[in-house]
Amino acid sequence: MKKIKNESQLLQHAIKLGSTYALKRGYVGIDETTSAKDKQECIYRLLVQDKLVSALPKDQETSANIRHKLVIWITKHLPPDHSLLK
């Protein structure tokens, strides 16, 4: 797995946008008390269900791989001149 520059900031941005996407879609399971790991997994599973990201094989569904998938997803949705991509 290749290390991505600004990965932690991109992950925070992915969680923020993913939570907003989940709420707009009608999912109410994410709130302020939900742990970061649970938020990441919920957003990942929602994106897989909506076919916005490809699913990881069951034996590779680790928190590190899920985080990496979310970072890749957000980098594809940010404009090319975004500060986190530089």
Side-chain angles (χ1 to χ4, degrees):
M1 181 169 27
K2 182 181 172 189
K3 180 74 173 160
I4 298 174
K5 189 175 181 181
N6 298 324
E7 190 167 348
S8 61
Q9 293 91 350
L10 286 167
L11 180 62
Q12 291 173 353
H13 198 65
I15 291 173
K16 180 181 171 187
L17 290 179
S19 297
T20 303
Y21 173 75
L23 289 173
K24 286 183 180 178
R25 196 174 170 279
Y27 183 73
V28 293
I30 298 176
D31 58 12
E32 297 82 30
T33 61
T34 308
S35 71
K37 183 180 174 185
D38 289 341
K39 284 180 187 178
Q40 293 166 14
E41 187 172 347
C42 288
I43 293 167
Y44 164 75
R45 296 203 184 283
L46 182 64
L47 294 174
V48 167
Q49 182 179 354
D50 291 349
K51 298 181 180 170
L52 298 175
V53 297
S54 59
L56 291 165
K58 289 288 183 190
D59 62 333
Q60 294 181 5
E61 282 187 353
T62 63
S63 59
N65 287 341
I66 289 174
R67 283 193 307 267
H68 190 72
K69 276 284 196 183
L70 291 175
V71 169
I72 291 171
W73 169 72
I74 198 64
T75 57
K76 291 180 180 179
H77 287 86
L78 290 175
D81 60 341
H82 195 277
S83 62
L84 290 176
L85 298 178
K86 295 182 179 181

